[in-house]
Amino acid sequence: MPLAQPRTEAIPDADLGPQLLRLAREAIAHHLGLGPAPVADAHPALGERGATFVTLTVAGEMRGSVGSMRRTRSLAADVVANAIAACQDPRFPALDAAAFAQAGIEVSLLDEPEFIDFADEADLLRQLRPHQDGVMLFAGCRGVTLLPAMWAQLPRPELFLAALKEKAGIPLERPVDGLMAARYGVSTWRSAS
């Protein structure tokens, strides 16, 4: 596979989403021994670097969600790797063939993150845009993120930030001074089983 180029499209075209969903489904099927290895189509964006999250649901319940916060490999390779990792997400039972037959797949393509300049936690909270921003929080060399879809469960900025801190293992009472934060948008596609 040729070296991945930086993704230049600001908004993916309508053909990209279905191809990402197909790649994710084929990667999981191959991993479970149910089909051949996935093959990327000739869509030019698939060879460019991209960062994705793949989320699996069965009967409306999450069964895995794994992704990349940085664009380090081609979009096709990223979605394939994250799809396989999502079906082995250690927070949930491993996806088997029976669950896969009922699984819904969601692929989120992350936009380039924009770092947020903030003076203190209150300033950061004022700058967050509920139901729009995915947020990355960096503490030293550790980074965590929550996708924009998480605003449905955490509708207030203080709840969203508390969940990020918890995910990063940062005590909730610790102020975010000295931490870094970034926001990003996503393009998301979903498929039922």
Side-chain angles (χ1 to χ4, degrees), residues 19-32 34 36 38 54 56-57 79-80 83 99-107 190-193:
Q19 290 185 42
L20 292 173
L21 289 168
R22 180 190 55 76
L23 277 174
R25 187 165 293 283
E26 289 176 359
I28 295 169
H30 179 69
H31 173 74
L32 296 173
L34 302 172
V54 176
L56 306 175
T57 55
V79 78
V80 165
F100 176 60
Q102 303 171 37
I105 298 176
E106 177 179 289
V107 175
R190 292 173 188 86
S191 72
S193 59

Side-chain angles (χ1 to χ4, degrees), residues 12-94:
D13 64 67
D15 294 332
L16 183 58
Q19 290 185 42
L20 292 173
L21 289 168
R22 180 190 55 76
L23 277 174
R25 187 165 293 283
E26 289 176 359
I28 295 169
H30 179 69
H31 173 74
L32 296 173
L34 302 172
V39 176
D41 288 339
H43 193 289
L46 294 176
E48 296 175 3
R49 283 186 298 216
T52 63
F53 266 75
V54 176
T55 302
L56 306 175
T57 55
V58 175
E61 298 292 321
M62 185 182 296
R63 284 292 296 270
S65 185
V66 174
S68 306
M69 291 174 42
R70 297 184 1 205
R71 299 173 178 184
T72 59
R73 54 190 164 199
S74 74
L75 184 54
D78 196 69
V79 78
V80 165
N82 290 335
I84 292 168
C87 70
Q88 303 170 341
D89 188 332
R91 299 172 296 172
F92 305 96

Side-chain angles (χ1 to χ4, degrees), residues 132-147:
Q132 182 178 347
D133 290 338
V135 180
M136 296 175 183
L137 188 65
F138 301 95
C141 54
R142 179 164 165 72
V144 296
T145 191
L146 291 175
L147 295 171

